[in-house]
Amino acid sequence: MVTSPPSRAPARSALPLVVLALAPLWLIMLFGRGLWTPDEPREADIAWRMSLQSDRTLPHLADAPFLEKPPLSYWMSAAGITLFGDSPGAARAPNFLYAAIGAASVAGLALAMQAETLAAIIAGLVAMSALIVFRVSVWLAPDAGLLAGCALALLGAWRGYHAAPGLPKLRGYALMHLGAAIGFMAKSAPGWLLPALALLGLIVWERRWAELRRWEIYAGFLIQLLIIGPWLLAIAHEADAGETLSTLFWHNLIGRFTRVASPAALDYTSGHHNSPGKYLRELPVYLLPWTLVVAAALARSWRQVRGSAPGATAWRFALCASLPFLVLLSVAATARDVYAAPGLIGFGLLAALWVQEAERSPHRLDRLAVRFSRYLTALIAWALAGAIAVLAAVGEASRPRSAVIALAVIAVAHLALLYAARAERNGDFPRSLAWIYGGYAPALCLAALVVLPVIDRWQDLPALARRIHADTAHAPLALLDADETTIAVLDHGLRTRFTLLSTPAGTVGPRTADSTRAGAADSAAGRAAQLLAGWFDTQGPNARVLVLLPGHTPGAVTRWLARFVPGVPPGDGVAGELAAAGGATLVQRYELPQGRRYALLGPPGHTVN
């Protein structure tokens, strides 16, 4: 059932309303699915380990310290596991808090910029339901905590900048420092970068140099010292404290922006390569379904930022909260789409400012942006219904149930979009956008009822891990060029004992994608053969080696797609080469439909039962 979007209610209602509107999306994606690659199996293992640790200074992946991120998100997920038991939903439970803080902060910031209640709600909806921000919000990873900290810090930066000197300004900047500290403890320096770039960019733009001399802007560093300091002090008392700090803040931080001298295992520039203009090219996808709304807001901002009216500052701040951060990411050596998520907060603010101005003085571009956003949302609903139909047709989902849900997706979306069209014709752009969201969110939630269980079967790595654990319980096990996901699923809840074997070509950095690792393994058969020969000689005839195979297992969907786009079945990579050359025997395969593939190797000449 589609409910009426919020009316022009009192400003205090904007914060709970935006959280309530977004909650169904968060709830179904946080608690309605298992752990998915990339990253989530690793993060779940680290959180599970943290829940068992007596010393929680450093996160651990299996038995080794994990020095890529500060521990806040792992502390929070460990608390969820302790309270609710070890499950994906328990580990993700803190994400609901992060998402609520982010949405309320964006809506609160729009209100502080003098936006009306419904426009402030639109700011929260656009910012937090944009594709990449939504994905970050519901993904088990430190980025969700970073996003919440950045949103809170931006709210504090704006309040501090506009407040009267003394206690009001101190309160604003104190909130900025609190948010920055949360962001830092979630994902290190990026928690500082976004609010710093936004505030400094606004000061430079408006030549308000005196703001940099205000004591209130610096007093809040005491908050950061009180939050971050005890953790750094605890690290200082750890063994190898210097190496730990160097890994956290040199190799893992500076080493992501530019190549630095580092061991191969800490060379982060070897994976997730950046390319010129990557974030700008992909930005329209990151912003779905609000791409056209943001484009119209950017077009109007060109005029708004050049004015001298008090409202121009809000437009400038919204741009400073987005573009400088994306520009900085664009010159980094590494790139992942999730890195851009904090930079999209500013676009939500732009949407709020735009929708108010467009309602007062609509231009043709504004009307087209709203109208084609409706069409885009309808297209997304039909795409979701089509995906459900394909899953049902190939036998991955129940046909009667899928047919009902597919029809419901289309019906609910189109009903809401009819109301959106009526509001647009009446010139009520805020209400039209609210109705567009009212069509998009239910369609996504309904589709998830069919799609999530299917993807869970494709991503059921714990089931593979249990089989591997059982098959190797009484045998020495080694992992050849294992990625973090493999290590995590074998450790999580099982504590499978294994030895890591790495070829020089296979040692491509801790965050390299699966496909890159598999490709590296293909060129390392000779080195791998030497490693395995030594392992089998020392461990005996019962020894086993687990290898991640390249590509994904063909399934019903890939066979259906092959009718239209013929593909080449994946080979067995280095495992196949070793078996063909007589360097090992392929003892067992472990495969998930549309998912990962592993081979368990035994010594040459081993008889397979």
Side-chain angles (χ1 to χ4, degrees):
M1 177 179 177
V2 178
T3 58
S4 177
S7 62
R8 302 184 192 281
R12 64 178 178 274
S13 67
L15 275 58
L17 282 175
V18 73
V19 172
L20 186 63
L22 288 159
L25 287 175
W26 297 334
L27 290 172
I28 196 165
M29 291 300 293
L30 289 174
F31 305 113
R33 63 184 180 88
L35 299 169
W36 295 353
T37 56
D39 302 335
E40 285 198 316
R42 180 196 66 210
E43 300 298 309
D45 182 60
I46 297 171
W48 172 71
R49 281 277 182 171
M50 182 67 78
S51 72
L52 304 176
Q53 290 174 212
S54 56
D55 180 357
R56 300 192 174 188
T57 303
L58 296 174
H60 282 71
L61 174 63
D63 290 319
F66 183 77
L67 303 179
E68 290 193 20
K69 310 290 186 297
L72 176 62
S73 61
Y74 304 117
W75 289 341
M76 297 290 287
S77 290
I81 290 171
T82 301
L83 288 172
F84 306 116
D86 184 15
S87 69
R92 290 195 201 99
N95 283 49
F96 190 90
L97 176 62
Y98 304 146
I101 290 173
S105 296
V106 174
L109 180 48
L111 290 173
M113 290 176 164
Q114 305 304 311
E116 295 179 359
T117 303
L118 187 51
I121 293 172
I122 295 300
L125 295 179
V126 169
M128 299 303 292
S129 66
L131 180 60
I132 201 64
V133 179
F134 172 57
R135 177 184 158 194
V136 163
S137 299
V138 300
W139 214 254
L140 182 58
D143 301 85
L146 170 67
L147 188 67
C150 287
L152 197 64
L154 288 174
L155 174 60
W158 176 263
R159 286 184 170 180
Y161 187 79
H162 273 273
L167 189 58
K169 188 175 285 289
L170 177 62
R171 283 198 297 263
Y173 284 135
L175 185 62
M176 178 187 74
H177 284 285
L178 174 62
I182 292 171
F184 179 92
M185 289 300 292
K187 204 173 178 180
S188 192
W192 293 339
L193 283 177
L194 182 68
L197 288 171
L199 181 60
L200 288 174
L202 185 61
I203 289 172
V204 171
W205 198 335
E206 300 198 334
R207 297 183 178 87
R208 195 166 145 179
W209 309 111
E211 193 70 17
L212 293 174
R213 297 193 294 271
R214 302 295 316 182
W215 65 271
E216 298 93 340
I217 202 172
Y218 305 106
F221 276 110
L222 179 61
I223 295 173
Q224 299 212 46
L225 180 63
L226 292 174
I227 293 174
I228 302 170
W231 175 61
L232 294 178
L233 189 61
I235 292 178
H237 287 88
E238 293 274 322
D240 302 320
E243 183 178 345
T244 297
L245 291 170
S246 175
T247 300
L248 278 166
F249 301 119
W250 179 252
H251 298 296
N252 186 52
L253 183 58
I254 305 302
R256 291 184 187 274
F257 280 90
T258 185
R259 181 178 292 275
V260 298
S262 61
L266 297 176
D267 181 10
Y268 291 92
T269 60
S270 61
H272 305 303
H273 295 289
N274 202 353
S275 61
K278 171 184 170 65
Y279 290 100
L280 293 179
R281 291 196 308 271
E282 297 178 0
L283 187 59
V285 177
Y286 299 165
L287 289 166
L288 287 173
W290 307 110
T291 307
L292 300 174
V293 167
V294 172
L298 286 169
R300 187 175 280 262
S301 71
W302 180 255
R303 296 183 295 275
Q304 298 293 329
V305 297
R306 292 183 292 175
S308 57
T313 298
W315 288 84
R316 293 168 189 154
F317 184 78
L319 290 173
C320 289
S322 53
L323 297 182
F325 186 75
L326 294 177
V327 169
L328 183 63
L329 291 180
S330 297
V331 299
T334 62
R336 289 187 71 188
D337 52 4
V338 294
Y339 296 168
L344 270 59
I345 295 172
F347 292 131
L349 299 173
L350 276 179
L353 298 171
W354 164 79
V355 77
Q356 286 196 159
E357 291 296 321
E359 186 179 29
R360 294 166 186 160
S361 57
H363 300 156
R364 185 168 182 270
L365 179 61
D366 302 325
R367 294 187 180 279
L368 289 175
V370 176
R371 184 175 308 159
F372 280 93
S373 292
R374 288 202 330 270
Y375 300 159
L376 180 59
T377 303
L379 182 62
I380 291 172
W382 278 94
L384 291 172
I388 293 170
V390 169
L391 293 177
V394 301
E396 290 280 12
S398 166
R399 292 189 178 184
R401 180 171 179 267
S402 297
V404 171
I405 292 177
L407 290 173
V409 166
I410 295 171
V412 169
H414 280 272
L415 178 61
L417 295 177
L418 286 175
Y419 284 97
R422 180 184 299 175
E424 179 205 331
R425 287 194 295 272
N426 294 333
D428 192 346
F429 288 176
R431 190 175 295 273
S432 183
L433 293 186
W435 275 116
I436 289 173
Y437 176 79
Y440 172 74
L444 204 59
C445 291
L446 286 168
L449 297 176
V450 174
V451 175
L452 298 192
V454 175
I455 298 178
D456 275 347
R457 293 196 296 272
W458 299 348
Q459 295 271 333
D460 194 4
L461 291 174
L464 287 191
R466 290 190 293 271
R467 289 177 55 198
I468 296 166
H469 179 80
D471 290 346
T472 60
H474 305 292
L477 176 64
L479 311 183
L480 179 63
D481 292 333
D483 66 348
E484 291 169 346
T485 297
T486 303
I487 293 170
V489 297
L490 289 174
D491 180 64
H492 188 178
L494 300 171
R495 293 186 182 271
T496 306
R497 297 178 62 85
F498 51 77
T499 299
L500 296 175
L501 302 178
S502 297
T503 62
T507 309
V508 290
R511 295 299 302 277
T512 304
D514 298 342
S515 59
T516 304
R517 283 196 173 275
D522 287 338
S523 65
R527 300 184 186 93
Q530 295 178 355
L531 274 176
L532 266 62
W535 171 255
F536 291 140
D537 286 343
T538 58
Q539 299 299 322
N542 290 328
R544 298 290 182 266
V545 176
L546 187 71
V547 183
L548 175 65
L549 301 178
H552 292 86
T553 309
V557 173
T558 50
R559 288 190 289 270
W560 180 82
L561 289 173
R563 301 176 183 177
F564 313 100
V565 185
V568 179
D572 286 344
V574 68
E577 293 181 36
L578 289 168
T585 301
L586 203 158
V587 176
Q588 182 64 273
R589 291 178 182 272
Y590 305 96
E591 298 180 331
L592 291 169
Q594 315 293 156
R596 284 191 163 214
R597 313 162 62 229
Y598 289 95
L600 187 65
L601 304 179
H606 176 81
T607 302
V608 180
N609 295 328

